[in-house]
């Protein structure tokens, strides 16, 4: 169970405009995720997007989950990453990417993002879609990847020859992304990076 509850009261707060809202769901999801990560990896540095959260409360302790995913645990750690110590890890948590969509009731557009870095380099990431639907039924879906191991949790579709694919969320889809899709991929990436940096 993800622990992320669509029934948590919205009570949206403004962190800097309509595209930067914060709800109780953001804070509760971060409390659940970060507290559990702290229990699993107490020496890692864990940084959550939301401020003003107390992780040393009875509520926080009650949310801790020690579950692991058997699909992930089947894989061996790539040799390149085997020597990394827990204290070398920085884990970044965006507890609800798509808060605006969440407030608007478009739950299927909401994700949980977790990025893991070691020695200043990205080494792994997780995208969790709590309300992903298969045949009209909410099943949730987790996509994850590790450098040197690969990406998992989705069906790979070959890119048609001579085509490039760019992926973004609806709220990040801007004119600079749309216009550049016919240009070389480096221009697309620079435009996306620029548009996301400016938001």
């Amino acid at each position: 169970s993800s622990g992320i509850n669509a029934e948590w009261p919205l009570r949206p707060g403004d962190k800097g405009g309509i595209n930067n809202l914060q709800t109780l769901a953001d804070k509760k999801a971060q409390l659940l995720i970060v507290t559990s990560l702290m229990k699993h990896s107490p020496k890692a540095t864990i940084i959550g997007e939301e401020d003003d959260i107390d992780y040393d409360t009875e509520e926080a302790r009650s949310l801790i989950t020690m579950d692991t995913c058997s699909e992930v645990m089947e894989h061996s750690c790539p040799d390149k990453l085997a020597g990394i110590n827990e204290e070398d890890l920085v884990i970044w948590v965006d507890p609800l990417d798509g808060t605006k969509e969440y407030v608007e009731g478009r739950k299927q557009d909401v994700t949980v993002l977790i990025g893991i870095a070691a020695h200043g380099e990205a080494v792994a990431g997780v995208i969790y879609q709590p309300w992903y639907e298969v045949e009209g039924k909410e099943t949730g879906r987790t996509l994850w990847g590790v450098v040197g191991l690969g990406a998992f949790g989705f069906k790979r579709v070959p890119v048609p020859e001579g085509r490039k694919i760019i992926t973004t969320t609806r709220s990040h889809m801007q004119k600079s992304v749309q216009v550049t899709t016919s240009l070389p991929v480096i221009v697309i990436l620079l435009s996306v990076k620029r548009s996301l940096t400016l938001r």
Side-chain angles (χ1 to χ4, degrees), residues 5-6 109 196:
N5 187 339
D109 294 331
L196 296 179

Short mmCIF file of all heavy atoms in Angstrom, two decimals, residues 5-6 109 196:
data_model
loop_
_atom_site.label_atom_id
_atom_site.label_comp_id
_atom_site.label_asym_id
_atom_site.label_seq_id
_atom_site.Cartn_x
_atom_site.Cartn_y
_atom_site.Cartn_z
N ASN A 5 -3.24 8.94 0.31
CA ASN A 5 -4.68 8.86 0.41
C ASN A 5 -5.33 10.02 -0.33
O ASN A 5 -5.11 11.18 0.00
CB ASN A 5 -5.05 8.90 1.90
CG ASN A 5 -6.51 8.66 2.16
OD1 ASN A 5 -7.35 8.82 1.27
ND2 ASN A 5 -6.82 8.27 3.38
N ALA A 6 -6.16 9.69 -1.31
CA ALA A 6 -6.85 10.72 -2.10
C ALA A 6 -7.88 11.47 -1.27
O ALA A 6 -8.36 12.52 -1.68
CB ALA A 6 -7.53 10.09 -3.31
N ASP A 109 -2.62 12.38 -13.02
CA ASP A 109 -1.47 13.18 -13.45
C ASP A 109 -0.49 13.46 -12.31
O ASP A 109 0.45 14.24 -12.46
CB ASP A 109 -1.95 14.52 -14.04
CG ASP A 109 -2.74 14.34 -15.32
OD1 ASP A 109 -2.47 13.35 -16.04
OD2 ASP A 109 -3.61 15.17 -15.61
N LEU A 196 11.99 24.67 -17.48
CA LEU A 196 11.78 24.18 -16.14
C LEU A 196 12.55 25.01 -15.11
O LEU A 196 12.09 25.22 -14.01
CB LEU A 196 12.15 22.71 -16.02
CG LEU A 196 11.31 21.75 -16.85
CD1 LEU A 196 11.80 20.33 -16.67
CD2 LEU A 196 9.84 21.85 -16.49
#
